[in-house]
Amino acid sequence: MTEQFIALHQLKVRGFATAEAVATGTGLTADAAAMVLRGLETDGLVKYREGRITGFSLTADGRSRHAELRDAALAPHQRDAIDAAYHAFLQPNRDFKQLTTDWQTRPEGEDAAPLLARLNDLHGEVGDVLAAAAEGDPRFQHYLPRFAAALSRLRDGDGSAFARPMSDSYHDVWMELHEDLLSTLGHERTEADE
């Protein structure tokens, strides 16, 4: 896969990202990601915004180019591996959504240990999903250290590491993985994803 495709794909998955965020999701260095993104900007495939939120997003031409590159990026056996991983993800995804609800609605001060135990189980399941997805595309391995870092922060008592938005929380990484599986396969969300 080309650096152009993996940068476009990260923006498709994230919707909006800095060069550092693209680097985190791709394995590129921050400098390499910035250089690729600036080239994509010159080509009219991404736009850069500064302000309250600063970063890159796809243009209409960038979305079209991403779809072209995505369709050519994977051989049938790779697509089959990622499709199998996506289907293996659906039940843990439902369980994670319930866990998220339970986490966010638990009474203040209630012991989070039972919820963390459930998350530990799901962490093992998502690791299996990532191993299966990586058989189709090794870039899915980049999620493992991000999940592990969020889980480590949670175990160390940082409750915001579960679902605080835009903080590389466990929930952030989970949602990104879900979108990545869908985007890689060219699928739209269905009832199975809810």
Side-chain angles (χ1 to χ4, degrees), residues 30-166:
D31 288 343
M35 188 171 69
V36 171
L37 289 166
R38 290 297 180 191
L40 292 170
E41 182 181 32
T42 299
D43 293 342
L45 302 176
V46 304
K47 61 183 173 186
Y48 180 77
R49 290 186 305 194
E50 285 189 87
R52 188 176 65 81
I53 299 177
T54 299
F56 294 88
S57 61
L58 294 176
T59 63
D61 287 344
R63 285 189 292 281
S64 295
R65 181 68 177 145
H66 170 266
E68 291 168 15
L69 292 172
R70 179 200 64 220
D71 291 345
L74 299 173
H77 74 278
Q78 292 174 293
R79 185 172 303 282
D80 289 347
I82 295 168
D83 189 59
Y86 162 71
H87 284 93
F89 175 78
L90 292 175
Q91 183 58 54
N93 187 54
R94 286 187 284 275
D95 295 341
F96 184 73
K97 286 183 178 190
Q98 184 59 56
L99 176 59
T100 300
T101 299
D102 295 347
W103 184 279
Q104 293 174 332
T105 59
R106 77 182 191 282
E108 188 159 337
E110 181 178 286
D111 183 17
L115 298 175
L116 280 173
R118 287 169 53 196
L119 182 59
N120 281 329
D121 292 342
L122 285 170
H123 185 73
E125 291 179 47
V126 79
D128 293 343
V129 167
L130 289 170
E135 289 181 24
D137 187 342
R139 71 183 171 73
F140 281 98
Q141 295 171 345
H142 293 293
Y143 285 99
L144 288 169
R146 294 175 62 204
F147 276 123
L151 186 57
S152 178
R153 290 183 356 239
L154 273 164
R155 289 175 179 154
D156 289 343
D158 178 3
S160 70
F162 185 81
R164 185 171 150 221
M166 300 179 70

